[in-house]
Amino acid sequence: MNIIEVKNVYKSFNIGKEKIDILKNVNLDVNKGEFISIMGPSGCGKSTFLYLLGGMDKPSGGNIIMDGKDYGDMKEKEKGVIRRRKLGFVFQFYNLVQNLNVEDNILLPLLLDGKKPDSYKKKLDKILDMIHMSTRRRHTPRELSGGQEQRVAVARTLIFDPEIILADEPTGNLDSKSGKEIMNLFRIINSEMGKTIVQVTHSDEYAKYGTRIINLKDGTIQS
């Protein structure tokens, strides 16, 4: 069952009078429950492609269908709801609020969506156990290591129980030990929780944690 369909997608930018093609006729189907790793050299369009999948940017041509709905047919408000409830985002930089503790950073998406955090207490406890941060729930990001911060960022994506997690170089700022911990966490989220994951990575080692590797080069899928 396809949860993401990418059909003949192009993306270009105009710099002065010059047109720069970033993505060229990209086609890809992502099945529910897959863990896809997107690889390729810098500037090949990996991150741009991920932002298009997340509805954070618009393609210059083609269609992106998310869970049966075409982004091109949606208003921005509807796309915003999908980004908050159906998609989880993990970036290279953790994007935690420095004056909020671990617990409040994880619960922040609920507040932004008008939900009551009290009704998510059991779920929060379960997520904190899974990322091994129960004893640090009252710590602020300044009191955490980079690997711990990224675990909190991953946990924040799970509070809404999204169907899909999009990760852009999630280990880019981490040492090898912390990077492997994050990748093992993603593997658990994929295999035990059944979440579909699409990650962008430069690492051959971390790409192999996925169930399928997509190689991008010069804006096209090579293999």
Side-chain angles (χ1 to χ4, degrees):
M1 177 182 176
N2 293 335
I3 196 166
I4 302 173
E5 296 176 70
V6 179
K7 298 182 178 180
N8 306 316
V9 162
Y10 288 82
K11 182 63 182 179
S12 61
F13 297 98
N14 291 318
I15 301 177
K17 295 182 179 179
E18 186 179 6
K19 180 184 176 184
I20 307 295
D21 293 321
I22 306 298
L23 296 171
K24 310 166 190 174
N25 195 32
V26 174
N27 291 273
L28 178 66
D29 290 337
V30 178
N31 296 322
K32 187 176 179 65
E34 277 197 289
F35 183 171
I36 287 183
S37 299
I38 300 176
M39 297 194 70
S42 296
C44 73
K46 300 188 301 298
S47 292
T48 298
F49 184 48
L50 201 72
Y51 296 151
L52 292 175
L53 293 183
M56 294 182 286
D57 197 1
K58 296 179 180 179
S60 303
N63 303 87
I64 296 177
I65 299 168
M66 180 65 64
D67 201 18
K69 295 183 178 181
D70 194 324
Y71 275 144
D73 297 332
M74 296 182 198
K75 295 181 179 179
E76 285 302 319
K77 185 176 181 180
E78 187 178 359
K79 282 196 281 188
V81 171
I82 286 177
R83 283 194 293 266
R84 289 197 303 273
R85 299 179 184 177
K86 286 185 174 288
L87 301 177
F89 296 92
V90 180
F91 300 98
Q92 181 175 345
F93 301 100
Y94 323 121
N95 296 329
L96 301 180
V97 180
Q98 294 299 306
N99 63 335
L100 295 182
N101 61 32
V102 165
E103 181 176 299
D104 289 338
N105 264 289
I106 295 172
L107 294 172
L108 187 58
L110 300 176
L111 297 173
L112 295 175
D113 202 51
K115 306 291 185 184
K116 293 182 179 180
D118 288 347
S119 60
Y120 286 79
K121 187 180 184 306
K122 287 185 179 179
K123 188 170 188 178
L124 173 66
D125 291 343
K126 185 177 180 180
I127 290 172
L128 284 167
D129 283 342
M130 186 179 71
I131 66 169
H132 306 296
M133 294 288 286
S134 294
T135 60
R136 293 182 176 268
R137 64 195 303 153
R138 302 297 182 189
H139 288 61
T140 63
R142 297 180 184 89
E143 301 171 285
L144 305 177
S145 68
Q148 289 170 334
E149 286 190 85
Q150 190 63 300
R151 275 188 267 157
V152 175
V154 173
R156 184 178 54 194
T157 70
L158 297 175
I159 196 67
F160 259 129
D161 199 23
E163 297 179 41
I164 302 164
I165 294 175
L166 304 177
D168 188 12
E169 295 285 358
T171 60
N173 280 339
L174 303 178
D175 58 39
S176 59
K177 180 177 181 294
S178 297
K180 288 176 182 177
E181 288 174 351
I182 292 298
M183 294 313 303
N184 282 321
L185 179 57
F186 277 136
R187 180 176 278 170
I188 291 169
I189 291 168
N190 172 245
S191 62
E192 296 183 13
M193 300 178 69
K195 304 301 180 188
T196 304
I197 300 176
V198 181
Q199 73 156 340
V200 161
T201 181
H202 280 103
S203 168
D204 289 325
E205 178 184 2
Y206 296 154
K208 292 174 183 175
Y209 279 77
T211 56
R212 183 157 54 120
I213 298 174
I214 303 297
N215 289 291
L216 267 178
K217 185 178 180 181
D218 298 327
T220 62
I221 291 178
Q222 301 292 306
S223 62

